[in-house]
Amino acid sequence: MLTPMVAGGVVFPGLFLLSKNTLQRLPQLRWGEADAVIVSARLVSSVQAVMASTAGYIVSTSCKHIIDDQHWLSSAYTQFAVPYFIYDIYAMFLCHWHKHQVKGHGGDEGGTRAPGSTWAVARGYLHKEFLMVLHHAVMVLVCFPLSVVSGAAESQGPPCPAHASTAGA
């Protein structure tokens, strides 16, 4: 169970850092920090969306009864995606932070930052993105544990045909 989670914990932040650094360091691009962070966060979200959709398609087309059958990819991708939801809360905050800086509220013009400004940005972020942060937190803290518990309880059920053919090999 730990391997897919570790893989997700490496893939999503790693792709973000690779993309951000590439956008900032390529001589043809030389993007600023704010633009590189925002585009990199969107790139990672797009990659995760494509991967989740592909996994869902594979599972739904491989199983006759999507509710009753089991497919190894559904449990593996659930574990792989948990780090994404945690990463994405931070990435959304970084995007909010940089948008806040661009609007001139950051105090990075050489002066000192007003006390509590980081908390003010965090409060603004939570106020603006509350439902998305709540969604991500529920996915990690409620849905993932429930899927692990229900998967263990239903492990005696029939695997879907595509999984059954590889189970004996």
Side-chain angles (χ1 to χ4, degrees), residues 38-120:
I38 291 168
V39 169
S40 297
R42 289 179 180 167
L43 171 71
V44 174
S45 293
S46 298
V47 167
Q48 194 279 336
V50 168
M51 291 171 66
S53 298
T54 303
Y57 176 78
I58 291 169
V59 170
S60 66
T61 57
S62 298
C63 298
K64 289 182 183 177
H65 301 98
I66 193 73
I67 301 298
D68 297 328
D69 292 346
Q70 293 182 29
H71 195 283
W72 67 269
L73 185 56
S74 60
S75 63
Y77 195 80
T78 302
Q79 296 164 20
F80 179 73
V82 165
Y84 167 77
F85 289 107
I86 297 167
Y87 146 82
D88 200 42
I89 291 172
Y90 178 68
M92 289 187 301
F93 175 75
L94 279 179
C95 291
H96 181 81
W97 175 266
H98 284 291
K99 288 175 185 176
H100 183 76
Q101 298 292 324
V102 168
K103 289 181 181 178
H105 302 295
D108 280 349
E109 297 80 40
T112 59
R113 186 171 277 137
S117 64
T118 301
W119 289 110

